[in-house]
Amino acid sequence: MLDGPLAGLVVPASRLAIEPPRKRLSTGLPNLDARLGGGWPAAALSEITGRRSAGRTSVLYSALAAALGAGHAAALVDAPAALDPRAAQTAGVVLDRLLWVHAGTARTALHAAELLVAAGGWGLVALDLGERPAHAPTAAWQRLRNAAARQRTVVLVASPWRVAGTAASAAVIMKDHRPRFTRGPGAVPLLIGLDTRAVIDRGVNGSGDHDVSQSTPADGLHFAAHAK
Amino acid sequence: MRIACIYVPQLALQAALRAAPERRGTPVAVIGKARRRSEAVVAANDKARRGGVRLGMTAEQARALCPEVFVVRESPADVAAAEAALADVGFAFAPCIETESARVFLDVSDMNGWFCSGQRDTSPWAQSDSIARNVKAASSGGSSGSSGSSGTSRVAGNAGRHHIERSIAQAIAAQATRVGLGVRVAIASRKSVARLATRAREIAIVAAGDEGPFLAPLPARILGPDLSIEEAETLERWGIGTLGELAALPAAEVGLRLGPAGSRLVHLARGTDDETFMPRWPQETLEESVAFDYAIVELEPLAFVLRGLVDRVLARLDLRALACAGLTLRLKLESGAFDVRSVPVAAPTREPTTLLQLLRLDVARRPPEAGVVEVLLGADPARARAAQLDFLRPAGPAPDRLAATIARLAALVGPENLGSPRTEDTWREEAMSVTAYRHKPANTVGVPSTVTNEATPFSSPTLAIRRFRPAEEVEVMIGPDGPAALRGRDTTARILVAAGPYRMSGEWWRSQQAETADASFSRDYWDVHASDGALYRLHQDRRTGRWFLDGYYD
């Protein structure tokens, strides 16, 4: 407790107003929604990371499909042009309503995302930084986060490793993936899907709990391979 | 029928001042081709006249008498733009108008309801919410004037109509001021009377049946262009000084001496000339232009000029309650050639900053090859699309901001790298195309086509694939069950499981040569789980035997 002239100016932590629960945008994946407290935090920047074939792109497409399905405007800023429109369509993305920007480099992608978010009106702006995202200054990520907060937009960054640092309100690591094959009638292996786990690396309220060990069996995700 | 005539006195001068508004309030003289000399002053404003400048002087004489005078050459483009702006003033009040040099005629018979006595706002469109109330009030006032049996009520009705028509004329003059034109307005029952009245007064209302008394005191020279030099000299010889004196002459006798034109002059003076009103509909596009004395080579000065043009275009569109759906920029270069650009606008807008930004980005992306000596800016009019908000669905991006953002993104990444992705009607897996992005609210999206396999949220999530564009060529070691190892630019791994091959071929009607984008293809695809943990999709070209990494499942 503070005494003297500062006593009336500082509010004790126990009396601080409770922050209202942040609105959420569904990830399109019930398991992940449950883990994130309802979905990606609205008006904030979130990250999905994971190595090759860990499932981060599938999560990204699910988020796009869910956002478009909820009536939001959505954009995908794609640094490496990795988008496969058939796969996205199969995941539920209405291509007619998706704005796709092939940025070329991660730096340009960040700039493009900033332009988009600043324009306002977007429900979700997804940013795919590709395989080797170049280092971007922390200030750039903070600027993007502030723009997202101002325009009430969800910004979702997909990259092999975490790049946004403290600017991210939520971060999900895709790991422990395992492809699932089955033997076809002619004893030929057939890819039927991918099992993976989504681990919350940054807290639900953006507090940064960093507790990877809290992953539970409920964090398991399965993505089915569509028919060839 | 009640016809309004809008007249722009000294059109050349007003057109020049409209293009250079910063010169307003200073002495200005316009030089152009005069009758006797090659170039002389054809118009001058009051300040220049007070400084001694007179019509017919050369530019040097004008400058000698009034050193501060700004002498500008008459520009047909500026005059045409001013006339088009004048037409837009007419279209702000009537769906169709008749135009002639420096004049516009329109039918204002049905506008009394919009301009009841006591109206303060000069814009008829600003009164849209009270139109019904005004029409009701006008109809009740009109009936008392037209069907009333007493002379008092008839006089009151005429006075009311006169007042309303004066309001209409004032509103027209006010709208003209918005596009940089000072006009004279007259309303009469005949076109010729309205035209003569604009030569006499700033605002003139000539009641039906009062044409003769109105015109009688006016000097005969007011007939102006309707009177040839010879006819004017003849009338002077006859001692005719006013229109009333001319009207008193028998038309047949005057016609006998001056020909058919003489008879018409008498009818004009009496206010009985039956000139037909021939209105036309508005043009599809509108254009503004500005010419320079010297070539502009840098973007910033050009952007400054474009700002003025955009403002003028938008002021004209605003008169017609329309927005800009597209721009056409024509730059006349020093060489005489035209650099023509079409600048699409994603959604009709009236935002000057958005339009200017689109123009700037276009010019910055592809600068003109030579200095620019004239700029012509055309705009496609369209109805402004109001954003419809929804209680149940989230609002999308504002159309005008979206247009500007897409333009800026196009400048950043190139227009071909931006839009809505589309699948192609081919078995070639990597095929995709991009179409222009149009924001569609969720409820207006069409029924999904049969090829669309839209999943609802929380349906079984599907595995995505990330494409390498272009596919990366790799070395593959073949084992007894297919690929056993692969080595590429970033990948060297043993293959743990290989699923395949899935044979795919197509587009046989194309060239059978080497595998190129426009050639046929025949491939064996494999899904392989590599020792680096990744799940790759690769294919072997059956013609060349080469292996390519298409991407990986993720």
Side-chain angles (χ1 to χ4, degrees):
Chain A
M1 287 291 287
L2 290 169
D3 296 327
L6 293 178
L9 300 176
V10 181
V11 180
S14 58
R15 293 186 193 166
L16 285 174
I18 296 171
E19 188 185 355
R22 204 191 278 264
K23 286 185 178 173
R24 301 274 162 176
L25 180 70
S26 172
T27 64
L29 304 164
N31 281 5
L32 193 53
D33 275 357
R35 298 274 301 147
L36 283 168
W40 302 113
L45 187 148
S46 303
E47 282 188 276
I48 323 169
T49 59
R51 49 187 293 203
R52 282 185 174 184
S53 296
R56 70 172 193 272
T57 309
S58 298
V59 174
L60 192 72
Y61 288 179
S62 288
L64 285 169
L68 290 167
H72 292 285
L76 171 61
V77 183
D78 189 359
L83 174 73
D84 182 73
R86 290 168 202 255
Q89 197 173 50
T90 310
V93 177
V94 184
L95 297 180
D96 280 349
R97 295 182 50 219
L98 177 71
L99 173 64
W100 177 72
V101 183
H102 172 208
T105 64
R107 194 171 288 269
T108 311
L110 192 56
H111 188 188
E114 262 193 75
L115 285 177
L116 274 170
V117 174
W122 298 95
L124 172 65
V125 174
L127 183 55
D128 187 341
L129 294 179
E131 294 292 303
R132 292 191 192 82
H135 172 75
T138 310
W141 292 111
Q142 294 291 350
R143 211 165 45 236
L144 186 58
R145 185 194 64 171
N146 291 341
R150 211 167 35 247
Q151 301 292 351
R152 317 295 300 164
T153 300
V154 174
V155 176
L156 198 53
V157 182
S159 64
W161 51 81
R162 286 198 55 192
V163 289
T166 54
S169 297
V172 172
I173 298 177
M174 308 301 296
K175 59 193 298 190
D176 299 340
H177 63 282
R178 190 162 50 83
R180 199 186 286 180
F181 289 90
T182 186
R183 292 276 165 187
V188 177
L190 182 68
L191 176 68
I192 58 169
L194 180 82
D195 290 326
T196 185
R197 278 177 55 218
V199 177
I200 312 300
D201 186 42
R202 190 162 175 80
V204 171
N205 292 317
S207 56
D209 51 26
H210 296 280
D211 188 4
V212 180
S213 64
Q214 65 175 244
S215 60
T216 66
D219 59 13
L221 297 172
H222 173 74
F223 296 103
H226 59 91
K228 305 291 179 302
Chain B
M1 180 186 282
R2 298 291 287 166
I3 294 176
C5 175
I6 315 172
Y7 170 55
V8 184
Q10 299 208 78
L11 179 65
L13 175 67
Q14 295 215 38
L17 285 173
R18 199 167 161 268
E22 71 278 4
R23 295 291 178 182
R24 288 183 196 279
T26 63
V28 178
V30 180
I31 56 167
K33 294 217 169 177
R35 283 183 187 171
R36 291 170 191 160
R37 299 182 186 181
S38 57
E39 267 195 343
V41 174
V42 293
N45 64 358
D46 287 344
K47 284 208 169 182
R49 284 171 193 267
R50 279 199 291 274
V53 178
R54 295 288 178 271
L55 302 190
M57 286 181 172
T58 62
E60 290 72 22
Q61 288 171 328
R63 285 198 190 97
L65 283 167
C66 181
E68 65 272 21
V69 69
F70 174 66
V71 178
V72 59
R73 198 176 304 277
E74 185 176 16
S75 162
D78 286 347
V79 171
E83 286 189 318
L86 176 63
D88 285 329
V89 173
F91 285 124
F93 291 85
C96 47
I97 61 167
E98 182 182 347
T99 54
E100 64 177 46
S101 177
R103 272 191 184 76
V104 157
F105 297 93
L106 58 143
D107 182 2
V108 293
S109 310
D110 300 330
M111 291 174 57
N112 290 2
W114 291 357
F115 291 87
C116 293
S117 56
Q119 176 179 333
R120 289 182 179 83
D121 193 336
T122 54
S123 163
W125 315 118
Q127 301 296 315
S128 57
D129 56 344
S130 61
I131 282 176
R133 177 165 46 81
N134 286 348
V135 167
K136 201 171 175 180
S139 61
S140 61
S143 64
S144 68
S146 58
S147 63
S149 56
S150 73
T152 310
S153 64
R154 236 187 338 263
V155 170
N158 286 339
R161 271 197 296 277
H162 183 88
H163 187 77
I164 290 169
E165 287 183 344
R166 179 163 289 276
S167 298
I168 295 172
Q170 285 169 344
I172 291 173
Q175 291 284 38
T177 309
R178 289 179 60 193
V179 291
L181 295 174
V183 296
R184 294 177 163 202
V185 186
I187 298 177
S189 295
R190 292 175 190 273
K191 193 173 140 188
S192 56
V193 176
R195 185 191 290 116
L196 285 175
T198 55
R199 291 176 192 157
R201 293 185 193 166
E202 293 286 329
I203 287 181
I205 310 298
V206 186
D210 286 352
E211 289 88 355
F214 176 84
L215 294 173
L218 301 179
R221 60 181 156 73
I222 209 167
L223 289 169
D226 298 314
L227 199 64
S228 68
I229 296 173
E230 293 77 20
E231 287 164 353
E233 287 171 352
T234 305
L235 290 180
E236 200 176 337
R237 269 205 315 277
W238 290 353
I240 303 294
T242 64
L243 293 181
E245 291 166 355
L246 180 58
L249 297 177
E253 294 299 322
V254 175
L256 203 64
R257 285 158 181 79
L258 296 180
S263 177
R264 181 168 179 262
L265 286 176
V266 174
H267 285 295
L268 280 174
R270 289 174 182 169
T272 54
D273 183 61
D274 271 336
E275 192 179 341
T276 314
F277 174 56
M278 291 183 290
R280 65 168 176 83
W281 296 99
Q283 289 178 338
E284 287 298 312
T285 59
L286 49 85
E287 192 170 75
E288 286 286 339
S289 64
V290 62
F292 314 123
D293 294 335
Y294 50 88
I296 290 182
V297 291
E298 292 176 358
L299 175 61
E300 280 310 314
L302 194 58
F304 182 77
V305 172
L306 287 173
R307 173 70 201 221
L309 288 176
V310 166
D311 284 343
R312 279 153 59 184
V313 161
L314 288 177
R316 288 174 56 189
L317 286 170
D318 198 34
L319 285 180
R320 291 157 60 182
L322 295 172
C324 177
L327 293 165
T328 305
L329 182 63
R330 291 195 293 149
L331 304 173
K332 188 175 181 185
L333 306 179
E334 279 177 303
S335 59
F338 276 92
D339 181 347
V340 182
R341 299 142 187 267
S342 180
V343 182
V345 179
T349 181
R350 267 184 288 203
E351 279 289 322
T353 36
T354 301
L355 296 177
L356 186 64
Q357 200 169 43
L358 292 172
L359 289 169
R360 283 186 64 133
L361 288 169
D362 190 84
V363 176
R365 193 164 56 228
R366 190 164 53 89
E369 292 173 354
V372 178
V373 293
E374 188 174 356
V375 182
L376 300 99
L377 181 67
D380 301 330
R383 287 190 183 281
R385 198 171 64 189
Q388 177 65 54
L389 298 177
D390 196 317
F391 278 120
L392 305 176
R393 292 180 180 83
D400 51 343
R401 295 196 74 180
L402 177 65
T405 306
I406 286 182
R408 292 182 72 183
L409 285 171
L412 182 68
V413 301
E416 68 282 1
N417 292 320
L418 176 77
S420 287
R422 276 182 59 188
T423 54
E424 291 285 289
D425 186 15
T426 172
W427 289 103
R428 197 186 288 272
E429 284 194 350
E430 71 278 13
M432 73 173 284
S433 61
V434 177
T435 57
Y437 176 77
R438 298 256 181 268
H439 175 65
K440 300 169 190 165
N443 55 348
T444 60
V445 176
V447 177
S449 62
T450 51
V451 294
T452 306
N453 181 18
E454 282 189 61
T456 54
F458 300 147
S459 65
S460 172
T462 55
L463 184 58
I465 184 168
R466 294 177 67 85
R467 292 275 165 199
F468 294 143
R469 294 182 192 278
E472 178 190 341
E473 186 167 2
V474 291
E475 291 176 38
V476 173
M477 283 178 61
I478 305 294
D481 297 326
L486 67 90
R487 184 169 67 189
R489 197 173 55 237
D490 302 322
T491 312
T492 301
R494 285 183 299 111
I495 291 175
L496 307 176
V497 184
Y502 307 104
R503 183 155 298 172
M504 221 171 278
S505 63
E507 300 174 15
W508 46 265
W509 55 89
R510 294 180 187 271
S511 161
Q512 300 265 328
Q513 302 299 316
E515 175 119 350
T516 58
D518 58 349
S520 62
F521 66 95
S522 176
R523 301 167 179 172
D524 281 343
Y525 278 92
W526 295 82
D527 295 327
V528 300
H529 183 205
S531 58
D532 62 359
L535 190 55
Y536 293 107
R537 184 152 176 91
L538 49 88
H539 78 259
Q540 183 184 28
D541 183 359
R542 295 187 62 234
R543 294 207 192 88
T544 61
R546 293 156 69 193
W547 287 83
F548 295 89
L549 202 54
D550 292 286
Y552 60 88
Y553 291 97
D554 187 37

